[in-house]
Amino acid sequence: QACTYPCQCPSQALQCPAGTSHVLDACGCCKVCARQLGELCSLQKPCDHHKGLYCDFSKIHRGSGICLAHEGATCDLLGKIYHNGESFQPTCKLQCICMDGAIGCIPLCSDDLRLPSPECPNPRRVKFRNKCCEEWICEEGTEENRLETAMAVFREDPAEKPEMNNLQENCLVQTTEWSACSKSCGMGISARVTNNNPQCRLEKETRLCMVRPCDFPMEKTKKGKKCVRTPKPRQSLHFEFSGCTSTRSYRPKFCGSCTDGRCCTPYVTSTVDVEFRCPEGDFFQRKMMFIKMCSCHYDCPRDNDIFLATYHRKMIGDHV
């Protein structure tokens, strides 16, 4: 009854606390900050359904309820028990939530990358007193060091045509190889550094990656062969990321397995823009790695976990 159409939403961007979802109100009109466990809720102030919360109107008071979590397993972190749906901060750098026995955390400090540039030849992260997050400072370098940094990014000879003599034309494009995927199965992140932009500034780029689904059935190797390097799924599939689903289906190649103790990882990849649709109706695009060829090698991640490994194998031959 309180809904009015056409929708009229605030013009300013929605500012929500860290770890709080943006959800549609009951009218399906405007995004609002989702209410958290134990907070008052209503049709216009819904609970965070991404975290399994619902609005309990059993003790209703003037149209308001209270956000409760569906029955689920509790979480144990360093001997402390957290209830399903409960948010907590184990350190000042992390905001976490217990979701049916699993703990998910987001960083409260930015993990930005700062590389040397002519304006800031020696960037360094410093911990200040009474501040949780480290901050970047620029140490003054010698004029010689500043010149070397500038020469590394820009061409020595300017472009011949005067009208083309700008930052982008004189930029000596430098791009690193994509890093290994952050997860050995399921959706992960791969990163690289490039200055291929109008400002010719070194920046970090990321893309989604999936070496193989975690429930991917390993094919049996043929007689005389030691591995199935690059199998394709029999059916097309939709990718899922942060509760959103790709708008079209794909039949990507994945990396298989080796029977002789070697690891199988991507070797030649391409990067494609994939569009995702969220339950609230939003659309967004992310770059995603698509595997062209895998290789078997002995430079294996320890315990099948790339985060614990001294694993620096690069993926080559990237075609955008």
Side-chain angles (χ1 to χ4, degrees):
Q1 293 176 355
C3 298
T4 55
Y5 298 99
C7 298
Q8 291 183 334
C9 302
S11 56
Q12 63 267 30
L14 193 60
Q15 298 290 329
C16 300
T20 300
S21 304
H22 295 184
V23 295
L24 286 171
D25 58 22
C27 301
C29 273
C30 307
K31 289 287 183 73
V32 295
C33 297
R35 297 292 164 142
Q36 304 302 302
L37 186 70
E39 293 181 348
L40 291 176
C41 53
S42 66
L43 290 174
Q44 296 303 319
K45 297 174 182 177
C47 299
D48 201 334
H49 61 86
H50 294 127
K51 298 176 182 176
L53 304 181
Y54 68 97
C55 196
D56 180 18
F57 291 103
S58 60
K59 298 182 177 64
I60 197 161
H61 177 66
R62 293 181 184 174
S64 291
I66 190 166
C67 286
L68 298 178
H70 293 288
E71 281 299 318
T74 57
C75 303
D76 183 350
L77 182 65
L78 302 176
K80 189 168 183 181
I81 302 298
Y82 297 95
H83 296 289
N84 182 36
E86 184 177 354
S87 293
F88 58 96
Q89 275 188 253
T91 73
C92 63
K93 294 184 178 183
L94 289 174
Q95 175 77 41
C96 301
I97 183 168
C98 172
M99 296 180 71
D100 198 16
I103 296 174
C105 300
I106 60 166
L108 297 177
C109 299
S110 65
D111 189 25
D112 58 334
L113 181 73
R114 184 148 189 181
L115 293 158
S117 67
E119 302 84 32
C120 185
N122 298 303
R124 191 162 62 90
R125 290 191 90 145
V126 174
K127 179 80 173 73
F128 290 99
R129 280 188 66 186
N130 303 324
K131 285 192 176 181
C132 175
C133 302
E134 295 173 334
E135 294 182 12
W136 284 106
I137 63 164
C138 291
E139 289 187 342
E140 285 296 324
T142 63
E143 192 62 35
E144 188 178 339
N145 286 345
R146 292 171 70 91
L147 186 63
E148 282 178 9
T149 308
M151 294 294 281
V153 176
F154 297 101
R155 297 180 194 279
E156 292 185 32
D157 300 319
E160 290 180 12
K161 297 180 182 177
E163 67 271 14
M164 305 283 278
N165 191 7
N166 54 39
L167 278 177
Q168 200 163 15
E169 283 300 316
N170 295 340
C171 184
L172 185 65
V173 174
Q174 300 176 99
T175 304
T176 65
E177 302 290 353
W178 287 104
S179 68
C181 193
S182 62
K183 290 191 177 178
S184 54
C185 75
M187 194 69 82
I189 298 290
S190 175
R192 71 177 179 183
V193 175
T194 182
N195 66 341
N196 191 8
N197 52 62
Q199 293 76 36
C200 193
R201 186 181 295 277
L202 288 164
E203 292 178 344
K204 185 180 179 182
E205 280 186 348
T206 59
R207 64 176 179 178
L208 301 175
C209 53
M210 188 185 289
V211 177
R212 62 184 68 83
C214 289
D215 57 354
F216 192 55
M218 294 301 180
E219 294 183 24
K220 291 181 179 178
T221 54
K222 292 178 182 176
K223 191 174 181 181
K225 284 203 167 189
K226 294 181 179 177
C227 60
V228 180
R229 276 206 295 263
T230 323
K232 253 189 179 182
R234 289 185 175 87
Q235 295 178 332
S236 59
L237 55 87
H238 288 268
F239 293 115
E240 290 191 6
F241 175 64
S242 293
C244 306
T245 307
S246 62
T247 53
R248 55 163 289 199
S249 61
Y250 298 87
R251 281 196 67 209
K253 291 179 179 177
F254 294 120
C255 288
S257 60
C258 303
T259 57
D260 54 1
R262 292 182 297 168
C263 302
C264 193
T265 56
Y267 183 59
V268 181
T269 67
S270 63
T271 303
V272 176
D273 285 322
V274 174
E275 186 179 62
F276 290 86
R277 185 180 190 278
C278 303
E280 286 78 25
D282 286 357
F283 290 86
F284 66 88
Q285 277 194 340
R286 285 285 187 278
K287 290 185 183 300
M288 185 158 179
M289 176 189 82
F290 278 76
I291 297 168
K292 289 179 175 288
M293 188 169 67
C294 301
S295 67
C296 292
H297 53 88
Y298 287 105
D299 185 14
C300 295
R302 273 202 315 272
D303 300 324
N304 205 29
D305 187 347
I306 285 173
F307 288 115
L308 301 175
T310 54
Y311 178 60
H312 303 295
R313 190 175 179 83
K314 296 286 189 285
M315 287 172 278
I316 68 158
D318 183 68
H319 310 285
V320 178

